[in-house]
Amino acid sequence: MSESSDDAHAQEDTPPESEAEGATSESEDEDVQTLRRQVEEKYDFDDFGPADMAEMTAEEWDAAFDEDSWITGGELLSRVERDLRSRVANRDVFARIERSENPPRVLAYSDEGYAIVYPDGSVEGEGTVLRDVKPTVALCSMESYEVPETVPENPLPEPEAVPQGGGELGNRMLQVIAGVQLLAGLAMLAGAVFALLGAFGLGGPGTNIEFLVVGGLAFIGVSLVLFFTVANARLSDKFRAEEYRDRLRAIGLEDGERPDFVPELTDEDGRGE
């Protein structure tokens, strides 16, 4: 039998279902590529956060992240650890970060929750920390995402190192302005009193006593508002600083103890690298 005859028989033996499956596969690939372009235009992956992750659908997630190119294992844990420490140092995330080698894990916890990152990229936990860690793991799994190389070993300060409050220069400037306003108001009220008494040559026909009284009271009122604003700002800074110290103490920065709800890093589940 000739070769041309064999080819003809081979073409006849090719089931039409195979051709249909091939056409369907190509159509699905085109749909995925189209959806991937739409996702890249819709989301800013350089600033990808929990809100974006909650908004993204399952179809968009599968299209955006190629499963075969994900980073896993020890490299993923190292990237997650560095990225989280950088976010904590920048005050984007409040958590204490710990790395365990046996078993390989990254643990992030605060006084309001915890998250455990496994080498395969899965995450478990609860609270606000879990919400903050999930997008970090997703981004660190992508080769295109650049993770900071140099990060502080201890991004959280010791409780006693937290300053009482910030913005002292601004508070002093407000105090100076309030003081000038108060002096101006008192001067205008004194001028009105002298005008009524006719002292120092005041109180002539051109003297507007009502203007002096109203203006003086207005300046004094403004000064009192500014003084109250400064006092409230300092009190708020003091409360915020004390609250931050309490949160740092709650996660064990003084005694080294974790909160009771944070689990121990054991390998009871058998999940390894």
Side-chain angles (χ1 to χ4, degrees):
M1 185 178 293
S2 63
E3 293 182 0
S4 59
S5 177
D6 292 340
D7 292 340
H9 283 294
Q11 291 177 359
E12 292 177 358
D13 293 340
T14 302
E17 290 81 0
S18 299
E19 297 180 359
E21 289 177 359
T24 302
S25 177
E26 292 179 0
S27 177
E28 290 178 352
D29 290 341
E30 291 178 359
D31 292 341
V32 170
Q33 293 297 330
T34 301
L35 182 57
R36 182 170 297 172
R37 287 193 295 270
Q38 294 174 351
V39 170
E40 291 175 353
E41 294 175 358
K42 182 178 179 181
Y43 298 97
D44 181 8
F45 288 100
D46 291 332
D47 190 23
F48 191 77
D52 299 313
M53 192 174 190
E55 182 182 351
M56 182 176 286
T57 65
E59 293 77 10
E60 290 176 335
W61 180 270
D62 292 337
F65 303 105
D66 184 5
E67 193 171 317
D68 295 333
S69 64
W70 285 357
I71 298 174
T72 58
E75 183 181 359
L76 173 62
L77 295 182
S78 297
R79 287 167 61 87
V80 169
E81 181 186 13
R82 294 200 308 271
D83 196 68
L84 285 176
R85 289 189 185 278
S86 175
R87 291 176 182 269
V88 172
N90 294 331
R91 299 297 184 262
D92 294 330
V93 175
F94 178 81
R96 191 175 185 183
I97 312 301
E98 295 183 6
R99 172 77 179 270
S100 170
E101 295 297 341
N102 188 23
R105 306 280 192 273
V106 170
L107 171 65
Y109 63 90
S110 72
D111 57 333
E112 298 178 350
Y114 74 93
I116 300 177
V117 183
Y118 296 94
D120 60 0
S122 59
V123 187
E124 68 177 28
E126 62 183 30
T128 56
V129 177
L130 178 63
R131 180 200 65 192
D132 293 332
V133 169
K134 278 186 174 181
T136 297
V137 176
L139 290 174
C140 291
S141 301
M142 303 166 58
E143 292 184 1
S144 59
Y145 180 69
E146 296 183 1
V147 178
E149 292 296 333
T150 305
V151 294
E153 184 67 24
N154 299 307
L156 289 174
E158 294 294 329
E160 298 307 321
V162 176
Q164 189 68 26
E168 190 60 28
L169 178 60
N171 289 335
R172 290 186 178 180
M173 291 182 62
L174 283 179
Q175 282 183 304
V176 171
I177 295 173
V180 172
Q181 296 275 354
L182 179 61
L183 292 176
L186 292 176
M188 294 183 74
L189 289 180
V193 172
F194 292 147
L196 287 173
L197 298 177
F200 303 105
L202 299 176
T207 305
N208 192 335
I209 298 178
E210 292 81 0
F211 173 77
L212 292 175
V213 173
V214 173
L217 292 176
F219 275 107
I220 292 175
V222 171
S223 69
L224 293 177
V225 171
L226 291 177
F227 278 127
F228 176 79
T229 302
V230 172
N232 184 62
R234 285 181 169 173
L235 191 60
S236 298
D237 287 343
K238 181 179 179 180
F239 282 138
R240 281 196 296 267
E242 190 58 37
E243 182 182 11
Y244 191 52
R245 293 192 193 100
D246 290 341
R247 296 192 70 186
L248 292 172
R249 296 187 184 102
I251 61 176
L253 284 187
E254 281 189 341
D255 55 15
E257 296 293 330
R258 297 172 180 163
D260 294 336
F261 59 82
V262 178
E264 295 293 332
L265 292 179
T266 61
D267 203 17
E268 295 178 354
D269 56 3
R271 300 174 67 175
E273 190 165 0

